Amino acid sequence: MKYLYPLLLSGIFLASCKKLIQNQVKKQVISDVTNGLWYVTSYEQNDSNITAAFNGYVFKFDANNTVTGILNTDSVQGEWLVNVDARTIMSDFPTAGYPLNQLNETWYVDDSYTDSVSAQCTDTVNHTINYLQLRKQ
């Protein structure tokens, strides 16, 4: 019994440390994403390259989970959510037409740096895998 309490306390401490680390990682990811403007460098959909449809668009991610797609003086607002543990980012532009509505998915992040992200999703309509790359300006 005398070893049970230290074991229990160490278990609680380890769980608390893991949660603290996860929160710090999430804060850093949100900081990296919300600092600056992003643009699409590549989008492959259904074996077709539709990158050109995003020419001129930039994206501003905010810490309050809003994202704005900007083309010249026009802008469309949507939302984004990050799940650090699952390595996913969900984006949704509910009122947007083409091409922004093509981003309305949950994207699995394959690779990421402070200035670039590569992700893929399974298209919920066509059931194909789409590939997206973003870069920070």
Side-chain angles (χ1 to χ4, degrees):
M1 193 71 164
K2 69 179 181 178
Y3 296 110
L4 182 61
Y5 292 117
L7 189 59
L8 237 122
L9 286 175
S10 64
I12 292 170
F13 176 72
L14 288 174
S16 296
C17 285
K18 181 179 179 185
K19 188 68 172 172
L20 178 66
I21 291 169
Q22 288 171 334
N23 286 340
Q24 292 301 318
V25 169
K26 184 175 181 176
K27 284 180 184 178
Q28 186 60 52
V29 167
I30 290 172
S31 175
D32 290 344
V33 171
T34 58
N35 182 15
L37 298 173
W38 295 79
Y39 63 98
V40 174
T41 58
S42 179
Y43 192 128
E44 293 180 25
Q45 178 186 60
N46 245 355
D47 296 326
S48 297
N49 188 323
I50 64 165
T51 307
F54 293 93
N55 283 348
Y57 274 99
V58 293
F59 299 90
K60 173 68 176 127
F61 294 86
D62 293 311
N64 66 357
N65 295 323
T66 59
V67 57
T68 306
I70 305 162
L71 178 63
N72 302 318
T73 59
D74 295 327
S75 65
V76 177
Q77 197 153 27
E79 65 179 344
W80 72 288
L81 295 170
V82 64
N83 183 329
V84 173
D85 294 333
R87 294 188 52 90
T88 61
I89 295 177
M90 182 283 303
S91 62
D92 184 33
F93 289 90
T95 62
Y98 186 84
L100 295 184
N101 63 354
Q102 303 304 300
L103 299 172
N104 295 348
E105 295 287 349
T106 297
W107 296 87
Y108 175 77
V109 177
D110 295 320
D111 200 9
S112 66
Y113 301 91
T114 57
D115 66 345
S116 65
V117 173
S118 295
Q120 63 176 292
C121 73
T122 301
D123 187 307
T124 54
V125 175
N126 300 316
H127 306 290
T128 58
I129 296 177
N130 297 337
Y131 299 93
L132 174 67
Q133 293 180 346
L134 299 171
R135 181 163 296 280
K136 191 182 287 189
Q137 280 188 330

